[in-house]
């Protein structure tokens, strides 16, 4: 089944938020704060030097049995630290090369676009607004500060995006740059297009079942523009950008008649924390 929506990870496919800077200092600051509230930390938390990884681990640690209830201030303060660093970084962040043309090309095919990210939804909105992209996206599903254990690779954010779009997983494509994005897509049931300049990570993605992997956005832009120029709703079986039909299948489009709305997917529901609706609003199904 061809895609009707594209879900984009933020940090990587849309912008390189921290550039070449390590987030280890962020993780170290979090450990110092959380030790002051909880005392000891789990070994997995102590060994983690990634800002998002440590949030997931703290969310999991909060759920583990303990002799005394763990103070909920610890994960809340940890999440606030990460958010502070993210907002500082986004001020200087630049769009990933080709992403503006990618978004224009995908939107030009009638594909519905949503950001699904482990970053704060607010800073994603700020970036999209600053770069003239916000109206292209129907929604941003970011990190839920109350449910850190639901960060990717948990499929929660993709389930929420599909719920907003009222589409089944089989009609969505996730574009991401990390193996955790691939895990998320597999868990949620969507197709996956890897986007990474790393040859080793590309190899790992392919070996783990990615539908296609590209090193830049250029092949996908070319594929989308070819479809638009041909005026076809779905590419013919023998059409392929470059040398791989797998990429064709990843970006193929099937346009349904106006007013047709597929049934809403079965998805886990929750609060609206971390979710914002952007400019491309769709009517509720009749």
């Amino acid at each position: 089944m061809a895609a009707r929506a594209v879900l984009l990870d933020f940090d990587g496919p849309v912008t390189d938020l921290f550039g070449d800077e390590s987030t280890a200092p962020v993780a170290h600051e979090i450990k110092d704060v959380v030790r002051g509230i909880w005392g000891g930390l789990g070994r997995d938390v102590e060994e983690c030097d990634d800002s998002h990884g440590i949030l997931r681990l703290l969310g999991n640690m909060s759920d583990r049995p303990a002799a005394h209830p763990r103070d909920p201030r610890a994960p809340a303060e940890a999440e606030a630290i990460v958010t502070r660093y993210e907002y500082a970084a986004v001020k200087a962040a630049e769009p990933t090369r080709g992403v503006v043309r990618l978004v224009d090309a995908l939107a030009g095919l009638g594909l519905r676009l949503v950001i699904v990210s482990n970053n704060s939804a607010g800073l994603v909105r700020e970036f999209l607004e600053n770069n003239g992209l916000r109206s292209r996206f129907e929604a941003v599903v970011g990190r839920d500060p109350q449910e850190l254990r639901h960060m990717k690779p948990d499929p929660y954010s993709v389930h929420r995006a599909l719920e907003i779009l009222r589409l089944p997983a089989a009609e969505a494509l996730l574009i991401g740059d990390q193996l955790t994005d691939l895990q998320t897509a597999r868990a949620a049931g969507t197709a996956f297009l890897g986007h990474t300049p790393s040859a080793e990570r590309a190899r790992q993605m392919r070996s783990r079942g990615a539908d296609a992997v590209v090193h830049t956005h250029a092949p996908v832009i070319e594929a989308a523009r070819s479809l638009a120029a041909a005026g076809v709703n779905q590419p013919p079986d023998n059409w392929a950008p470059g040398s791989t039909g797998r990429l064709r299948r990843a970006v193929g489009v099937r346009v349904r008649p106006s007013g047709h709305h597929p049934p809403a997917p079965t998805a886990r529901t929750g609060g609206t924390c971390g979710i914002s609706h952007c400019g491309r609003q769709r009517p509720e199904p009749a």
Side-chain angles (χ1 to χ4, degrees):
M1 187 176 292
R4 296 185 69 230
V6 176
L7 315 179
L8 284 96
D9 177 37
F10 178 67
D11 191 2
V14 178
T15 187
D16 189 0
L17 188 59
F18 289 100
D20 294 329
E21 293 185 19
S22 168
T23 60
V26 186
H28 294 164
E29 181 176 340
I30 288 171
K31 292 173 195 177
D32 288 341
V33 169
V34 175
R35 285 192 203 100
I37 299 173
W38 280 354
L41 299 176
R43 182 177 177 181
D44 54 351
V45 178
E46 289 285 7
E47 293 178 350
C48 182
D49 286 330
D50 176 76
S51 60
H52 283 170
I54 202 167
L55 289 184
R56 287 195 303 268
L57 293 173
L58 288 173
N60 293 336
M61 191 173 172
S62 296
D63 294 335
R64 295 176 193 161
H68 303 286
R70 290 193 173 92
D71 192 327
R73 289 182 302 147
E77 293 198 22
E79 196 277 336
I81 290 170
V82 173
T83 299
R84 171 165 51 85
Y85 277 94
E86 288 177 339
Y87 269 98
V90 82
K91 296 182 186 303
E94 296 289 339
T96 297
R97 184 175 181 180
V99 72
V100 175
R101 289 182 290 120
L102 173 74
V103 168
D104 287 344
L106 295 177
L109 287 172
L111 286 163
R112 304 170 66 186
L113 306 177
V114 174
I115 297 285
V116 290
S117 176
N118 279 344
N119 297 110
S120 165
L123 79 93
V124 176
R125 292 195 303 271
E126 180 176 314
F127 178 89
L128 297 178
E129 187 71 39
N130 291 344
N131 290 279
L133 293 172
R134 188 169 177 182
S135 65
R136 293 296 201 183
F137 291 88
E138 290 191 36
V140 171
V141 182
R143 179 177 67 243
D144 185 341
Q146 306 301 319
E147 296 287 355
L148 298 178
R149 67 183 183 278
H150 285 330
M151 294 170 66
K152 293 181 291 183
D154 187 284
Y156 177 79
S157 59
V158 172
H159 287 159
R160 292 293 291 120
L162 294 172
E163 185 179 59
I164 291 167
L165 294 168
R166 296 182 178 271
L167 290 176
E171 294 188 6
L173 167 70
L174 174 62
I175 300 178
D177 69 325
Q178 300 291 327
L179 295 175
T180 49
D181 294 314
L182 173 55
Q183 290 176 258
T184 303
R186 289 293 168 260
T190 69
F192 179 76
L193 175 64
H195 172 272
T196 175
S198 167
E200 174 58 22
R201 188 175 300 162
R203 184 195 65 76
Q204 292 174 332
M205 286 179 171
R206 291 188 182 99
S207 70
R208 299 182 190 190
D211 294 280
V213 182
V214 294
H215 297 298
T216 72
H217 289 311
V220 186
I221 296 168
E222 180 184 350
R225 287 177 173 173
S226 295
L227 285 172
V232 297
N233 292 338
Q234 186 175 5
D237 291 340
N238 62 354
W239 183 89
S243 61
T244 172
R246 300 183 77 189
L247 180 57
R248 172 192 59 78
R249 291 193 295 273
V251 300
V253 181
R254 176 177 299 152
V255 179
R256 286 178 171 75
S258 177
H260 177 90
H261 297 274
T266 300
R268 284 184 287 178
T269 58
T272 57
C273 294
I275 298 174
S276 67
H277 293 271
C278 297
R280 298 182 67 214
Q281 296 297 317
R282 296 289 177 125
E284 291 295 316

